[in-house]
Amino acid sequence: MSAHVEVLYFASLRDAAGIASEQVVTAATDLSALYAELQVRHGLAFPQARLRVAVDGAFASWSDAPRDGTTVAFIPPVSGG
């Protein structure tokens, strides 16, 4: 079963991917597998362990399954003062 999701990239992930968002059709069983898929597609070097993931504006678990029609955001740590 596949899911159509919108993926948002922020900060350094946006810079690495070269896009701020995209529509993705995925057969990934969880958000961790979705990120792995996108790492390969865009050559993202950022390790998953340093990211947060959110679904439809709320923080989510990496073990959550991507659901059709949702928006997934990968959020790197932000530094600054």
Side-chain angles (χ1 to χ4, degrees):
M1 184 172 153
S2 63
H4 293 75
V5 298
E6 179 180 23
V7 176
L8 306 178
Y9 301 97
F10 292 100
S12 56
L13 284 177
R14 179 183 56 228
D15 295 342
I19 53 176
S21 66
E22 67 180 326
Q23 298 292 321
V24 174
V25 178
T26 183
T29 57
D30 58 26
L31 297 173
S32 180
L34 174 60
Y35 182 70
E37 231 178 73
L38 298 172
Q39 275 186 299
V40 171
R41 180 182 300 172
H42 297 295
L44 303 175
F46 223 99
Q48 175 195 321
R50 304 231 22 237
L51 303 177
R52 302 280 313 261
V53 62
V55 175
D56 291 337
F59 287 115
S61 169
W62 287 103
S63 61
D64 292 347
R67 290 175 286 129
D68 203 39
T70 57
T71 299
V72 177
F74 296 113
I75 307 161
V78 178
S79 62

